[in-house]
Amino acid sequence: MRHESLPPDVVAEPPAGGEPASSSGPLPGGQPAAAAPLIDRYGRRVSYIRLSITDRCDFRCNYCMAEEMEFLPRAQVLTLEECLRVASTFVELGVSKVRITGGEPLVRHDVVWLLQRLARLPGLRELVLTTNGSQLERFAAELRAAGVRRINISLDTLQPGRFRQITRVGDLARVLRGLDAAQAAGFERLKINTVMIRRVNDDELVDLVDFAVGRGIDISFIEQMPLGDVGHARDERFFGSDEALARLQTRHLLVPSAESSGGPARYWRIPGSQTRVGFISPHSHNFCDSCNRVRITARGELYPCLGNNGAVPLLPLLRAHPIDQQPLRAAIIQGMGIKARGHDFANQMGSPQVLRFMSMSGG
Ligand code: SAM
Ligand code: SF4
């Protein structure tokens, strides 16, 4: 492993004696400021970050990337030490869940080094990861040993030819071997994420649920979001959650569940199975009122909302202040002030107003 110890600028643990995480003093009610300073203008508490550790990927899913992508020069991407510093600062400020994503996080060299250190952060309760599964056969056991608790694996089809068509380059058999390895590694939960695309995979929704039930894992169906300019009219391909639910109900008894993974998915249970079926419906069932998350891009931009363009650049601060944490904390707290009330994807299907690719912001 290239990195053996943290460089001096990395704050992985609060200093002995408990340096206050915020200079803003106690909150009303005597609660220390460090406990919950990340509250936005609408009273929503941010307790969850999604950290994109690379914009690169070994797939080119056609709803996510253009065929020819220009990736960031390495100098503009957060180093792993900077990723750790950003995440640990958020955790000091009360964040308890970190999802590592990308691009494809498992193509980032030394990703396990980062995960091992994130898992040890005091105050972090959940370390989770989203992956396309292509590298899981190799990494699953290491990820589990590093402290990753749950994994989401993206899988839009069970048909090899269709898989190749959607991902442009991916090999379904390899992803399924990755899923096997993840099941053998003993994660607390595994979930398949399926983006629904009309006339591409909408005829497979029942098969995908049957597959999840057969393996005793969860599945969430995601409405396609108009992010990045992927070069085709997405409104024709949009497939909504309500139609998906109705289609699944023709084959399965689905019982609404109050369970939540702390995310925007609404869940249904299939009696007699382990499987939860979720729907993530940014178009048809707006979930912004309960939003508890922000995103950090591979370039170190703090995006308080996936569906808006407002961002706070953290990278210049990280590099200008390698020791002093206060500017970084102040910028993160400032980011809460620009968190929008909600996204508005509804009018954006034909021409995206959010020009970032999903691979930049992290899914
Ligand atoms: N490469 C990893 C993967 O595919 O799981 C992690 C990053 S990917 C951007 C995260 C999730 O975003 C995936 O489940 C992917 O299907 C989803 N996604 C990408 N573009 C999307 C879009 N335009 N609308 C909805 N979901 C999208
Ligand atoms: Fe890569 Fe994930 Fe985007 Fe597909 S969805 S191109 S696997 S980042």
Side-chain angles (χ1 to χ4, degrees):
M1 187 77 49
R2 199 154 46 83
H3 313 268
E4 282 311 325
S5 60
L6 297 180
D9 60 315
V10 172
V11 180
E13 295 178 13
E19 182 196 352
S22 162
S23 58
S24 53
L27 296 172
Q31 197 185 8
L38 298 185
I39 296 178
D40 76 2
R41 291 174 293 165
Y42 306 101
R44 295 171 299 191
R45 166 145 188 232
V46 171
S47 57
Y48 175 14
I49 61 167
R50 298 171 84 113
L51 178 59
S52 172
I53 62 168
T54 178
D55 62 328
R56 289 165 196 252
C57 186
D58 50 353
F59 289 0
R60 296 284 183 279
C61 302
N62 55 29
Y63 49 75
C64 176
M65 289 195 178
E67 193 154 12
E68 299 295 326
M69 288 291 288
E70 203 169 309
F71 295 110
L72 293 170
R74 289 197 196 279
Q76 286 179 28
V77 174
L78 291 176
T79 64
L80 290 184
E81 289 83 358
E82 287 165 343
C83 289
L84 180 57
R85 186 174 166 206
V86 168
S88 63
T89 307
F90 270 99
V91 172
E92 286 173 33
L93 291 169
V95 160
S96 57
K97 176 173 174 181
V98 173
R99 176 174 300 281
I100 297 300
T101 180
E104 173 47 43
L106 299 185
V107 302
R108 178 87 195 244
H109 188 59
D110 282 351
V111 57
V112 175
W113 178 91
L114 174 66
L115 293 166
Q116 286 167 338
R117 279 149 187 82
L118 289 173
R120 294 204 294 261
L121 291 177
L124 183 66
R125 288 212 296 273
E126 274 191 279
L127 177 61
V128 294
L129 179 108
T130 301
T131 174
N132 65 21
S134 68
Q135 310 296 320
L136 260 186
E137 191 177 14
R138 185 170 139 223
F139 277 114
E142 262 190 285
L143 298 178
R144 185 66 189 110
V148 176
R149 293 174 55 177
R150 292 188 287 115
I151 292 193
N152 289 353
I153 300 165
S154 301
L155 184 65
D156 300 328
T157 174
L158 297 168
Q159 301 178 17
R162 199 176 265 190
F163 189 83
R164 174 62 64 111
Q165 183 199 340
I166 294 171
T167 61
R168 293 197 180 102
V169 289
D171 175 8
L172 176 64
R174 185 171 165 158
V175 171
L176 295 181
R177 289 199 303 274
L179 181 54
D180 291 339
Q183 290 200 268
F187 289 96
E188 288 175 14
R189 271 201 114 89
L190 293 175
K191 186 173 77 156
I192 294 171
N193 276 345
T194 301
V195 176
M196 301 178 288
I197 320 160
R198 189 176 296 282
R199 288 189 296 280
V200 173
N201 68 352
D202 63 306
D203 59 342
E204 264 192 273
L205 305 187
V206 171
D207 292 348
L208 283 157
V209 169
D210 290 343
F211 177 81
V213 169
R215 287 184 170 246
I217 62 181
D218 294 336
I219 182 163
S220 280
F221 293 104
I222 306 174
E223 289 179 352
Q224 197 181 149
M225 288 171 261
L227 298 171
D229 190 357
V230 294
H232 54 70
R234 269 188 272 223
D235 43 358
E236 289 164 20
R237 305 208 181 177
F238 179 75
F239 195 90
S241 294
D242 291 345
E243 193 175 348
L245 179 62
R247 193 168 286 188
L248 295 179
Q249 281 169 328
T250 63
R251 286 277 292 278
H252 286 288
L253 175 63
L254 291 169
V255 180
S257 162
E259 291 165 276
S260 154
S261 63
R266 297 168 299 130
Y267 283 104
W268 272 256
R269 281 243 174 227
I270 298 182
S273 87
Q274 301 283 313
T275 298
R276 297 184 307 174
V277 179
F279 293 93
I280 300 174
S281 320
H283 294 275
S284 56
H285 297 270
N286 187 296
F287 41 69
C288 298
D289 282 351
S290 58
C291 183
N292 63 350
R293 68 202 53 199
V294 297
R295 290 173 161 82
I296 299 106
T297 66
R299 199 162 36 189
E301 299 144 321
L302 163 59
Y303 275 96
C305 174
L306 179 63
N308 282 279
N309 285 320
V312 179
L314 302 180
L315 189 64
L317 280 175
L318 284 162
R319 295 189 180 167
H321 303 279
I323 307 289
D324 183 5
Q325 282 288 89
Q326 194 48 36
L328 177 59
R329 285 194 199 114
I332 290 172
I333 292 167
Q334 179 205 339
M336 302 304 113
I338 62 163
K339 189 165 165 65
R341 183 187 279 275
H343 60 242
D344 177 20
F345 290 132
N347 299 319
Q348 298 177 16
M349 286 307 274
S351 52
Q353 288 168 28
V354 177
L355 291 172
R356 294 185 313 282
F357 287 102
M358 186 68 130
S359 52
M360 276 302 303
S361 320

